[in-house]
Structures are given as structure tokens and as C-alpha cells.
Amino acid sequence: MNLRASRVIFNQIRCYCYKPVRRVSLPPASKLAPKVAASVDNFSLKNEFKSRILATGPIPVAAYMKQVLTNPAAGYYMNEADVFGSKGDFVTSPEIGQIFGELVAAWCLNEWTKFGRPAPYQLIELGPGKGTMMRDVLRVFRRLGASDGLSVHLVEMSEHLSEVQAELLCRSSEECVDKAYYRAGVTRAGTKVFWYRHLEDVPAGFSIVLAHEFFDALPIHKFQKQDNVWKEVLVDVDSDNKDKLRFVLSKAETPMLKLVLNNYPELVKDREHIEISLDSESIIRQIAQRFNATGGYALVVDYGHTGEKGDTFRAFKNHKLHDPLEEPGSADLTADVDFSLLNRFCENTGQIFTMGPIEQGSFLEMAGAKDRLQVLLANAKSEEEKHRLSDGYKMLTDRDQMGSRFKFFALFPKELESFFKSQSQAEG
């Protein structure tokens, strides 16, 4: 996935979008309208899991992960705590510096030009976080005159986060009923923004799909080889301490294990541990159907590997590793994205071809990050701001930090494979 052509777009960014952007402080969660009734304050996910397990037996990790992250009463992403940034549990690339979102925008516009700049068109972001990346992307689109015919569609399960995003992106927004979307707003530049709980609810149309740190949060099934026999990893109540949860291996072949053994024989050939997300496969199929019907392309950015890793399921709390089975709902659960498996999902659709993955540092540098940094430094107002910009750039691109850990992975309609590959070779 060669990105040198995006320098054309970047040169325009140099002319128009030259000032460092201060990260706007959002209002504290306490000032946003609470969405969870007081009656659920004492709801305990741990007790809920214990009751379910004692009644029906151990549960798959995917079922545990889904409830921990998205349970309406106590899910990690559904509460009103600020989970992003230095005061939260983890920091994402868009929060570190504006360069990230700006160069994602430059890439998007470069690819849009290859499609003939179709309009109307829509930006779809899966799991927008605070909305920081979308804000930076929209600023570049607006500066370069690409906002005409554009609408924004955010797929967000958390109504609380939708409020945070609306506060950052829109001059006004409102909740909606009897619509496919549950919130709608308008940016200060006049671009319409809509919020949905599911990708399938987003209307048809030429789409640029962005997924930054989205796939790593989708529920995974875990499988482990024991004595040369594959077993599914399950969550159970600890027999020695009924107040604790523990991981166990299935005693017999589970339905999900049978599915994996039958459908993905290459995965079990050389591995000792497998993590697979069928929700990821479902999302890929929906993207493929969208491309096939109305055209578009997608960019996936996440930390991950190409099949060489095994057990990556873990939790983060206060920027530190945390026991994923302790205090469910209080910490983020995540697993590295297996890009070789994601690519397999794309190939299986017969409607998508992929480019990448490439390391984040390589993507940003080929897209012009170093030059962009120099422009921002030249316009910085203080030494403190210069240090912040330089430190942020290093964190984003250094191989010992985010530069190699995060990958960029592009998805395009299958029928355009020869054209895009020839364009990529020409640009290289």
C-alpha cells in the first residue's frame, strides 16, 4: 500500500491547514445527561456472570467480552467515565497529535480522487472514540474543498460517547426516535452527522469507512491446544473461591471449536493458540456488500500481527495491564488484531481486495508526517508546544513505540484490483 501520492494532498494541507490545533477539553462526564438509571447503580456484572455460569455452565470468552464492554447497565464503554487519554485507561493515536488524523484525511482524499471524486459520498467511522480523529479529518476535507456532498455517519454503541462526540464535532445535535439513527447533528461548517448503533443501519451510498482501534475491541473466541487436542477457552467460576472467575478449557468439542476446525484448517496447523472474532467477519461482509452495491473503500488502523502471535487477550486499567476477569466492566478488554485472518475474511467475500498491512510509522512517514511536523513546529507559539509536537510525533512513528505496533490495512472493491495495484506501482 504505497502512500507517496498523498503528498500531493499534503502540500495543500501545508497551504491551508498550517496551525497546530489545541486539543479541546471536553466537559466532565458529570455535566452530561446521565443515561443509566439510578436503579442499576448496584448492578454487578460479576454477579451476573456467576449466576449465569452456575446455571448453565462456563461461557465462551466472546460472550464474556461482549457483556463486559457493552452491557447497557455496566459495560465499560457504556459508562460515563472518560476512558480515553492520560486521565483514562489508554491513549489513542488521534489524541496524541493532529498529524495522525490529518494524514489519514490526506490518504482518504487521494484515494477518493482515484475514484473520480464521486458525490454525494459519506464518511463512516466505526467506534469513533471521542471524535478526535473525525474532527481532524473533517477539518482537512473542509480546507481542501471536499465537503460538498459529504455526510458523516458514526457507528457508536454508547449514547454517552455519542454526546461526547457531538460536543466536539457539532454546533448542535439532538436525539432522534423512530429513525435508523438515534442522534443527528450539524458541524460548524454545515456537514450533517448521524449516529447509529449498527453498521447495517447506515444508508447506502459511496462510502469511505474508517476503523481506528475498532476491531481489537470486538469479541473473540479463544482456542488452545492441550496434549495435541484443541479445546475452547471458557470463563468459569473458581471452584476454590466462588467470588472469583477463572479460565478453563472445554471438556468436549464446542460448536465454535467445531466450526473453526472445519472452516479454518490452516489456522490449527502450526499454532498452539487461536483467537478469532466472528463479529469481525460479519463487519467485513457488511463492508463488502456496501462496496458491491454503491462503491467505496476502507482503512483499518489497529495494533496487531500477521498470524505469529497466540494469546493476546488482556485488560487495561489506568494505562497498566489488569486481570481481565477481575471487576468486569471496570477495565478495557482487547486482543491484537490478526491481520492474516482479517485478510482471509476479505478474500472469502470475493468482493474485496486488500493492501497492507504496513506499520503505522511507515504509513505516516510516506504520507508526509516529517514535513508536516516541521510546518507545525514553525508555527508553534512556545517551546512547550514544540516539545509536545516532537514528543507526539516520536510516539506515533518510533518503532519502539506506536510506529511498529500499529498497522494500516486498506480495503477496496475487488473489480478495481488491477487498477489500484498498477497505480500503486506507478506511485512507488
Side-chain angles (χ1 to χ4, degrees), residues 14 60 68 83 120 181 238 277 286 291 295 369-370 382 397 401 403 405 419:
R14 287 175 61 95
V68 167
V83 301
Y181 48 87
D238 193 324
S277 169
Q286 291 177 52
F291 288 176
K370 202 170 287 186
S382 66
T397 60
Q401 299 189 57
R405 180 123 175 79
F419 169 75

Side-chain angles (χ1 to χ4, degrees), residues 17 25 68 138 217 219-220 222 231 233 268 301 365:
C17 188
S25 297
V68 167
L138 288 177
I220 58 163
K222 290 173 63 68
K231 305 286 184 69
V233 179
V268 302
V301 186
E365 288 177 0

Side-chain angles (χ1 to χ4, degrees), residues 159-198:
E159 291 191 15
H160 163 65
L161 283 176
S162 78
E163 292 179 2
V164 173
Q165 295 151 11
E167 183 76 20
L168 186 66
L169 296 173
C170 299
R171 66 168 182 251
S172 64
S173 72
E174 61 182 5
E175 295 182 0
C176 304
V177 295
D178 300 326
K179 304 279 189 182
Y181 48 87
Y182 66 88
R183 179 179 294 278
V186 181
T187 70
R188 292 160 185 81
T191 301
K192 293 182 178 180
V193 186
F194 304 91
W195 280 262
Y196 309 79
R197 291 182 177 84
H198 307 287

Side-chain angles (χ1 to χ4, degrees), residues 73-250:
Y76 177 75
Y77 286 113
M78 310 303 279
N79 63 49
E80 297 185 0
D82 188 357
V83 301
F84 303 97
S86 59
K87 295 181 180 179
D89 295 318
F90 55 90
V91 175
T92 64
S93 294
E95 305 296 329
I96 293 171
Q98 68 192 75
I99 288 177
F100 184 87
E102 289 174 350
L103 295 184
V104 166
W107 182 87
C108 289
L109 289 174
N110 183 65
E111 302 309 309
W112 183 56
T113 300
K114 293 178 183 178
F115 279 89
R117 301 170 68 90
Y121 70 115
Q122 51 195 27
L123 271 170
I124 302 174
E125 186 173 3
L126 309 178
K130 283 184 176 181
T132 307
M133 184 175 78
M134 182 56 70
R135 183 190 64 177
D136 292 341
V137 167
L138 288 177
R139 187 179 64 255
V140 173
F141 273 52
R142 182 179 71 253
R143 294 285 189 178
L144 300 185
S147 295
D148 291 346
L150 175 67
S151 59
V152 175
H153 305 263
L154 304 178
V155 179
E156 177 58 70
M157 290 284 291
S158 168
E159 291 191 15
H160 163 65
L161 283 176
S162 78
E163 292 179 2
V164 173
Q165 295 151 11
E167 183 76 20
L168 186 66
L169 296 173
C170 299
R171 66 168 182 251
S172 64
S173 72
E174 61 182 5
E175 295 182 0
C176 304
V177 295
D178 300 326
K179 304 279 189 182
Y181 48 87
Y182 66 88
R183 179 179 294 278
V186 181
T187 70
R188 292 160 185 81
T191 301
K192 293 182 178 180
V193 186
F194 304 91
W195 280 262
Y196 309 79
R197 291 182 177 84
H198 307 287
L199 176 58
E200 58 262 34
D201 294 331
V202 179
F206 187 91
S207 302
I208 304 172
V209 182
L210 299 175
H212 176 260
E213 290 200 50
F214 172 77
F215 283 94
D216 67 274
L218 295 180
I220 58 163
H221 287 268
K222 290 173 63 68
F223 307 96
Q224 184 174 317
K225 188 183 289 186
Q226 183 186 58
D227 299 328
N228 212 34
V229 176
W230 281 98
K231 305 286 184 69
E232 182 166 5
V233 179
L234 306 172
V235 177
D236 194 8
V237 175
D238 193 324
S239 57
D240 297 325
N241 184 346
K242 298 298 184 182
D243 193 49
K244 294 182 62 177
L245 300 174
R246 65 173 181 175
F247 291 116
V248 297
L249 296 179
S250 61

Side-chain angles (χ1 to χ4, degrees), residues 405-416:
R405 180 123 175 79
F406 283 79
K407 310 291 192 298
F408 279 62
F409 187 62
L411 285 60
F412 296 97
K414 182 71 173 177
E415 61 267 24
L416 298 177

Side-chain angles (χ1 to χ4, degrees), residues 255-270:
M256 281 303 307
L257 175 55
K258 185 175 182 179
L259 183 149
V260 170
L261 293 176
N262 289 341
N263 293 350
Y264 301 95
E266 75 279 7
L267 290 182
V268 302
K269 184 178 179 181
D270 299 316

